[in-house]
Amino acid sequence: MTIKLPLEQAHSLLAQAVRPGDSVIDATAGYGQDTVFLADQVKEFGHVYGFDIQADALKVCENQLIKYQLQNQVTLFNQGHEKIITLLPPELKIQAAIFSLGGLTPEDGHLTLPNTTISAYHQVLSRLHRGGIIVFLMAQFHEGSAVERDFLISDLTRLDPAYYRVNNYQPLNQGENAGQVIAIERL
Ligand SMILES: C[S@@+](CC[C@H](N)C(=O)[O-])C[C@H]1O[C@@H](n2cnc3c(N)ncnc32)[C@H](O)[C@@H]1O
């Protein structure tokens, strides 16, 4: 298929921006799908910083990394991404970040929230290389998703176009729950 599904679109954007040796962030590591993908992109001389508030999910993520022998190029923090700036090594510049919004399942009680998502992405922006990207993946919709997405979009539309390009990738004929990807590139 030429037109990509939301997860494929998110990974395709990351793959275009990330090179071996880069430092990148998985702001919502969960079970590790994006962490494994990013660790594979940065190779053993790059690094992935992963964040999640659910310790059990991070254990699954860690096991996935071990399975693919990627654990040495990843640091996992059982902390909210709103603390990213205090946990990253000082002065470290970031090439890419992904925020996979929502929860692990529709019943997950640990959903991402508009205020913390917006605070965290601004923290990442302050460390982003020129040419670096931040990708928001909204693959699983839940009650509250639309509120978070609308808050996020209203914040993103205020980013200065002289410094950032912000694009919205959204299926038009596949129902409201088909998912969505938004990406920021620092110019
Ligand atoms: C859609 S899921 C992520 C899926 C993940 N990429 C995977 O492959 O399993 C969203 C994740 O965000 C986490 N989360 C919610 N609020 C958070 C916060 N403030 N900081 C970091 N992670 C958070 C949830 O615990 C959940 O694991």
Side-chain angles (χ1 to χ4, degrees):
M1 198 93 71
T2 305
I3 294 181
K4 296 179 173 61
L5 294 170
L7 177 67
E8 295 168 338
Q9 178 71 59
H11 284 190
S12 164
L13 288 163
L14 291 167
Q16 286 175 70
V18 175
R19 293 285 168 267
D22 284 340
S23 296
V24 302
I25 290 175
D26 185 349
T28 50
Y31 295 147
Q33 187 166 228
D34 305 319
T35 323
V36 165
F37 175 79
L38 285 170
D40 194 42
Q41 300 292 308
V42 300
K43 308 289 178 214
E44 61 278 14
F45 26 93
H47 209 80
V48 184
Y49 298 87
F51 299 81
D52 204 290
I53 51 175
Q54 296 195 64
D56 291 352
L58 285 182
K59 195 71 207 152
V60 176
C61 179
E62 194 181 348
N63 288 336
Q64 286 297 104
L65 292 165
I66 291 168
K67 178 174 161 192
Y68 295 108
Q69 299 185 333
L70 294 166
Q71 71 276 17
N72 292 341
Q73 59 234 47
V74 179
T75 304
L76 296 175
F77 295 98
N78 183 201
Q79 299 274 357
H81 44 226
E82 58 279 11
K83 297 190 190 132
I84 277 179
I85 206 83
T86 62
L87 296 166
L88 287 178
E91 315 292 329
L92 183 80
K93 288 289 215 171
I94 296 298
Q95 180 61 21
I98 182 162
F99 289 75
S100 175
L101 302 182
L104 289 166
T105 63
E107 299 76 34
D108 190 355
H110 300 84
L111 303 172
T112 55
L113 297 170
N115 286 348
T116 42
T117 297
I118 289 170
S119 163
Y121 103 71
H122 278 280
Q123 294 176 37
V124 178
L125 272 190
S126 73
R127 295 285 191 91
L128 200 64
H129 280 296
R130 292 178 79 163
I133 63 165
I134 301 178
V135 175
F136 301 94
L137 169 64
M138 288 158 266
Q140 195 166 73
F141 279 85
H142 60 87
E143 222 183 296
S145 293
V147 174
E148 182 173 28
R149 182 196 55 203
D150 293 348
F151 265 103
L152 181 61
I153 287 178
S154 116
D155 193 83
L156 289 167
T157 52
R158 291 197 287 270
L159 289 183
D160 188 339
Y163 298 101
Y164 303 104
R165 178 167 298 152
V166 186
N167 268 28
N168 187 359
Y169 304 84
Q170 185 174 21
L172 290 181
N173 69 340
Q174 289 150 56
E176 284 180 6
N177 297 339
Q180 186 170 348
V181 172
I182 296 176
I184 311 171
E185 179 173 0
R186 186 173 166 211
L187 304 176

